[in-house]
Short mmCIF file of all heavy atoms in Angstrom, two decimals:
data_model
loop_
_atom_site.label_atom_id
_atom_site.label_comp_id
_atom_site.label_asym_id
_atom_site.label_seq_id
_atom_site.Cartn_x
_atom_site.Cartn_y
_atom_site.Cartn_z
N ALA A 1 92.64 111.32 70.65
CA ALA A 1 93.90 111.71 71.26
C ALA A 1 94.67 110.51 71.79
O ALA A 1 94.09 109.47 72.10
CB ALA A 1 93.65 112.70 72.40
N ARG A 2 95.99 110.66 71.88
CA ARG A 2 96.83 109.62 72.47
C ARG A 2 96.62 109.55 73.97
O ARG A 2 96.66 108.47 74.57
CB ARG A 2 98.31 109.93 72.17
CG ARG A 2 99.26 108.80 72.53
CD ARG A 2 99.11 107.64 71.57
NE ARG A 2 100.06 106.57 71.84
CZ ARG A 2 99.70 105.35 72.25
NH1 ARG A 2 98.43 105.08 72.47
NH2 ARG A 2 100.60 104.41 72.43
N ALA A 3 96.41 110.70 74.59
CA ALA A 3 96.23 110.77 76.04
C ALA A 3 95.60 112.10 76.39
O ALA A 3 95.57 113.03 75.58
CB ALA A 3 97.57 110.60 76.76
N GLY A 4 95.09 112.18 77.63
CA GLY A 4 94.61 113.43 78.19
C GLY A 4 95.29 113.65 79.53
O GLY A 4 95.58 112.69 80.24
N MET A 5 95.54 114.90 79.88
CA MET A 5 96.28 115.20 81.10
C MET A 5 95.73 116.45 81.78
O MET A 5 95.24 117.37 81.12
CB MET A 5 97.77 115.44 80.80
CG MET A 5 98.44 114.37 79.98
SD MET A 5 100.16 114.80 79.56
CE MET A 5 100.97 114.43 81.10
N VAL A 6 95.85 116.46 83.11
CA VAL A 6 95.59 117.66 83.91
C VAL A 6 96.76 117.83 84.86
O VAL A 6 97.19 116.86 85.51
CB VAL A 6 94.28 117.54 84.72
CG1 VAL A 6 94.09 118.76 85.62
CG2 VAL A 6 93.08 117.36 83.79
N ALA A 7 97.32 119.01 84.93
CA ALA A 7 98.47 119.23 85.81
C ALA A 7 98.07 119.02 87.26
O ALA A 7 96.99 119.42 87.69
CB ALA A 7 99.01 120.65 85.61
N PRO A 8 98.93 118.40 88.06
CA PRO A 8 98.60 118.16 89.47
C PRO A 8 98.58 119.45 90.27
O PRO A 8 99.31 120.39 89.99
CB PRO A 8 99.74 117.24 89.93
CG PRO A 8 100.89 117.56 89.02
CD PRO A 8 100.27 117.88 87.69
N ASP A 9 97.71 119.48 91.26
CA ASP A 9 97.59 120.64 92.16
C ASP A 9 97.12 120.13 93.52
O ASP A 9 97.14 118.93 93.79
CB ASP A 9 96.64 121.69 91.59
CG ASP A 9 95.24 121.15 91.32
OD1 ASP A 9 94.91 120.04 91.79
OD2 ASP A 9 94.45 121.84 90.64
N ASP A 10 96.70 121.02 94.39
CA ASP A 10 96.31 120.62 95.74
C ASP A 10 95.14 119.63 95.72
O ASP A 10 95.03 118.77 96.60
CB ASP A 10 95.95 121.84 96.58
CG ASP A 10 97.19 122.64 96.98
OD1 ASP A 10 98.31 122.10 96.90
OD2 ASP A 10 97.03 123.82 97.37
N THR A 11 94.25 119.76 94.74
CA THR A 11 93.14 118.80 94.61
C THR A 11 93.69 117.40 94.40
O THR A 11 93.21 116.43 95.01
CB THR A 11 92.22 119.20 93.44
OG1 THR A 11 91.66 120.49 93.70
CG2 THR A 11 91.09 118.19 93.26
N THR A 12 94.71 117.28 93.56
CA THR A 12 95.36 116.00 93.30
C THR A 12 95.99 115.45 94.57
O THR A 12 95.82 114.27 94.91
CB THR A 12 96.45 116.16 92.22
OG1 THR A 12 95.98 117.03 91.19
CG2 THR A 12 96.86 114.82 91.66
N PHE A 13 96.74 116.30 95.25
CA PHE A 13 97.50 115.86 96.41
C PHE A 13 96.57 115.44 97.55
O PHE A 13 96.83 114.45 98.25
CB PHE A 13 98.45 116.95 96.87
CG PHE A 13 99.31 117.52 95.76
CD1 PHE A 13 99.66 118.87 95.76
CD2 PHE A 13 99.74 116.71 94.70
CE1 PHE A 13 100.43 119.40 94.74
CE2 PHE A 13 100.52 117.24 93.67
CZ PHE A 13 100.86 118.58 93.69
N GLU A 14 95.47 116.17 97.73
CA GLU A 14 94.52 115.82 98.78
C GLU A 14 93.86 114.47 98.50
O GLU A 14 93.59 113.69 99.42
CB GLU A 14 93.45 116.92 98.91
CG GLU A 14 94.00 118.21 99.53
CD GLU A 14 93.04 119.37 99.38
OE1 GLU A 14 91.86 119.12 98.98
OE2 GLU A 14 93.44 120.52 99.65
N TYR A 15 93.60 114.20 97.22
CA TYR A 15 93.02 112.91 96.84
C TYR A 15 93.99 111.77 97.14
O TYR A 15 93.60 110.71 97.65
CB TYR A 15 92.66 112.91 95.35
CG TYR A 15 92.07 111.60 94.85
CD1 TYR A 15 90.69 111.43 94.75
CD2 TYR A 15 92.89 110.54 94.46
CE1 TYR A 15 90.14 110.24 94.29
CE2 TYR A 15 92.35 109.34 94.01
CZ TYR A 15 90.98 109.20 93.92
OH TYR A 15 90.45 108.01 93.48
N LEU A 16 95.27 111.97 96.84
CA LEU A 16 96.26 110.90 96.99
C LEU A 16 96.71 110.67 98.43
O LEU A 16 97.16 109.57 98.78
CB LEU A 16 97.49 111.22 96.14
CG LEU A 16 97.36 111.00 94.64
CD1 LEU A 16 98.57 111.55 93.91
CD2 LEU A 16 97.20 109.51 94.34
N ALA A 17 96.60 111.68 99.26
CA ALA A 17 97.10 111.57 100.63
C ALA A 17 96.47 110.38 101.34
O ALA A 17 95.24 110.20 101.34
CB ALA A 17 96.81 112.86 101.40
N ASN A 18 97.34 109.53 101.91
CA ASN A 18 96.93 108.36 102.70
C ASN A 18 96.28 107.24 101.89
O ASN A 18 95.70 106.32 102.47
CB ASN A 18 95.98 108.78 103.84
CG ASN A 18 96.63 109.76 104.79
OD1 ASN A 18 97.78 109.57 105.20
ND2 ASN A 18 95.92 110.82 105.13
N ARG A 19 96.37 107.32 100.55
CA ARG A 19 95.94 106.16 99.74
C ARG A 19 96.91 105.00 100.03
O ARG A 19 98.09 105.23 100.34
CB ARG A 19 95.96 106.50 98.26
CG ARG A 19 94.96 107.59 97.86
CD ARG A 19 93.58 107.04 97.66
NE ARG A 19 92.59 108.11 97.53
CZ ARG A 19 91.30 107.90 97.35
NH1 ARG A 19 90.84 106.66 97.26
NH2 ARG A 19 90.45 108.91 97.27
N PRO A 20 96.45 103.76 99.92
CA PRO A 20 97.29 102.62 100.32
C PRO A 20 98.67 102.59 99.67
O PRO A 20 99.66 102.24 100.33
CB PRO A 20 96.45 101.41 99.88
CG PRO A 20 95.03 101.89 99.96
CD PRO A 20 95.09 103.33 99.54
N ARG A 21 98.79 102.95 98.40
CA ARG A 21 100.08 102.85 97.72
C ARG A 21 100.76 104.20 97.53
O ARG A 21 101.78 104.29 96.84
CB ARG A 21 99.91 102.17 96.36
CG ARG A 21 99.27 100.79 96.45
CD ARG A 21 100.13 99.83 97.26
NE ARG A 21 99.48 98.54 97.40
CZ ARG A 21 99.53 97.58 96.49
NH1 ARG A 21 100.21 97.76 95.36
NH2 ARG A 21 98.90 96.45 96.68
N ALA A 22 100.21 105.26 98.06
CA ALA A 22 100.84 106.58 97.96
C ALA A 22 102.02 106.65 98.91
O ALA A 22 102.07 105.94 99.92
CB ALA A 22 99.83 107.67 98.29
N PRO A 23 103.01 107.49 98.61
CA PRO A 23 104.14 107.65 99.53
C PRO A 23 103.67 108.16 100.88
O PRO A 23 102.63 108.81 100.99
CB PRO A 23 105.01 108.70 98.82
CG PRO A 23 104.56 108.72 97.41
CD PRO A 23 103.12 108.35 97.42
N ARG A 24 104.47 107.89 101.93
CA ARG A 24 104.14 108.34 103.28
C ARG A 24 105.35 108.96 103.96
O ARG A 24 106.49 108.69 103.56
CB ARG A 24 103.62 107.17 104.11
CG ARG A 24 102.28 106.62 103.65
CD ARG A 24 101.81 105.45 104.49
NE ARG A 24 100.54 104.92 104.00
CZ ARG A 24 99.33 105.37 104.37
NH1 ARG A 24 99.26 106.37 105.24
NH2 ARG A 24 98.24 104.85 103.88
N GLY A 25 105.10 109.77 104.95
CA GLY A 25 106.17 110.35 105.73
C GLY A 25 107.10 111.22 104.88
O GLY A 25 106.66 112.06 104.09
N GLU A 26 108.41 111.01 105.05
CA GLU A 26 109.39 111.79 104.30
C GLU A 26 109.29 111.53 102.80
O GLU A 26 109.53 112.45 102.00
CB GLU A 26 110.80 111.45 104.80
CG GLU A 26 111.09 111.92 106.22
CD GLU A 26 112.51 111.64 106.63
OE1 GLU A 26 113.28 111.12 105.80
OE2 GLU A 26 112.87 111.93 107.80
N ALA A 27 108.91 110.32 102.43
CA ALA A 27 108.75 110.01 101.01
C ALA A 27 107.63 110.85 100.40
O ALA A 27 107.72 111.30 99.26
CB ALA A 27 108.47 108.52 100.82
N TRP A 28 106.56 111.09 101.18
CA TRP A 28 105.47 111.95 100.71
C TRP A 28 105.96 113.38 100.52
O TRP A 28 105.65 114.02 99.51
CB TRP A 28 104.31 111.91 101.70
CG TRP A 28 103.21 112.90 101.40
CD1 TRP A 28 103.03 114.10 101.99
CD2 TRP A 28 102.17 112.75 100.43
NE1 TRP A 28 101.92 114.73 101.46
CE2 TRP A 28 101.37 113.92 100.50
CE3 TRP A 28 101.81 111.75 99.53
CZ2 TRP A 28 100.25 114.11 99.69
CZ3 TRP A 28 100.69 111.94 98.71
CH2 TRP A 28 99.93 113.10 98.80
N ASP A 29 106.73 113.88 101.45
CA ASP A 29 107.25 115.25 101.35
C ASP A 29 108.13 115.40 100.12
O ASP A 29 108.05 116.41 99.40
CB ASP A 29 108.04 115.61 102.61
CG ASP A 29 107.16 115.65 103.85
OD1 ASP A 29 105.95 115.88 103.71
OD2 ASP A 29 107.69 115.46 104.96
N ARG A 30 108.98 114.40 99.86
CA ARG A 30 109.85 114.46 98.68
C ARG A 30 109.03 114.39 97.39
O ARG A 30 109.30 115.10 96.42
CB ARG A 30 110.87 113.32 98.70
CG ARG A 30 111.94 113.47 99.78
CD ARG A 30 113.08 112.50 99.55
NE ARG A 30 112.63 111.10 99.58
CZ ARG A 30 112.58 110.36 100.67
NH1 ARG A 30 112.94 110.88 101.85
NH2 ARG A 30 112.18 109.10 100.62
N ALA A 31 108.00 113.54 97.42
CA ALA A 31 107.14 113.41 96.24
C ALA A 31 106.43 114.72 95.94
O ALA A 31 106.34 115.15 94.78
CB ALA A 31 106.14 112.29 96.45
N LEU A 32 105.91 115.39 96.98
CA LEU A 32 105.22 116.67 96.78
C LEU A 32 106.14 117.70 96.15
O LEU A 32 105.72 118.44 95.23
CB LEU A 32 104.69 117.20 98.11
CG LEU A 32 103.34 116.70 98.59
CD1 LEU A 32 102.97 117.38 99.90
CD2 LEU A 32 102.25 116.96 97.55
N LEU A 33 107.36 117.77 96.60
CA LEU A 33 108.31 118.72 96.01
C LEU A 33 108.50 118.44 94.53
O LEU A 33 108.57 119.37 93.71
CB LEU A 33 109.65 118.64 96.75
CG LEU A 33 109.69 119.20 98.17
CD1 LEU A 33 111.04 118.91 98.82
CD2 LEU A 33 109.41 120.70 98.16
N ARG A 34 108.59 117.17 94.19
CA ARG A 34 108.78 116.79 92.78
C ARG A 34 107.52 117.06 91.96
O ARG A 34 107.58 117.59 90.85
CB ARG A 34 109.16 115.31 92.71
CG ARG A 34 109.52 114.80 91.32
CD ARG A 34 110.06 113.39 91.37
NE ARG A 34 109.04 112.41 91.80
CZ ARG A 34 108.99 111.84 92.98
NH1 ARG A 34 109.89 112.15 93.91
NH2 ARG A 34 108.05 110.96 93.28
N TRP A 35 106.36 116.70 92.53
CA TRP A 35 105.11 116.87 91.79
C TRP A 35 104.79 118.33 91.53
O TRP A 35 104.20 118.67 90.50
CB TRP A 35 103.96 116.23 92.58
CG TRP A 35 104.09 114.73 92.73
CD1 TRP A 35 104.89 113.89 92.01
CD2 TRP A 35 103.39 113.90 93.67
NE1 TRP A 35 104.73 112.59 92.45
CE2 TRP A 35 103.83 112.57 93.46
CE3 TRP A 35 102.45 114.15 94.68
CZ2 TRP A 35 103.33 111.48 94.20
CZ3 TRP A 35 101.96 113.08 95.43
CH2 TRP A 35 102.40 111.76 95.18
N ARG A 36 105.20 119.21 92.43
CA ARG A 36 104.89 120.63 92.24
C ARG A 36 105.70 121.27 91.11
O ARG A 36 105.39 122.38 90.68
CB ARG A 36 105.11 121.40 93.55
CG ARG A 36 104.11 121.04 94.65
CD ARG A 36 104.25 121.94 95.87
NE ARG A 36 103.44 121.48 96.99
CZ ARG A 36 102.14 121.73 97.13
NH1 ARG A 36 101.51 122.44 96.20
NH2 ARG A 36 101.48 121.29 98.19
N THR A 37 106.72 120.57 90.63
CA THR A 37 107.50 121.09 89.50
C THR A 37 106.92 120.69 88.15
O THR A 37 107.41 121.13 87.12
CB THR A 37 108.96 120.59 89.57
OG1 THR A 37 109.00 119.17 89.32
CG2 THR A 37 109.59 120.88 90.93
#
């Protein structure tokens, strides 16, 4: 295959929360809205 993918969900978001390069604060809230689409 060219690539493999899994759609993001709460498991994804919990993993990313507070990672050094993940968005924070309002940027995190905006990112979550976008990722859920």
Side-chain angles (χ1 to χ4, degrees):
R2 190 72 177 114
M5 308 176 78
V6 176
D9 58 13
D10 287 342
T11 299
T12 319
F13 310 145
E14 289 168 11
Y15 179 97
L16 284 171
N18 299 315
R19 296 278 169 180
R21 303 298 177 84
R24 293 179 182 273
E26 292 183 2
W28 172 261
D29 295 335
R30 290 193 299 271
L32 275 182
L33 289 174
R34 185 172 67 254
W35 295 344
R36 292 187 188 279
T37 69

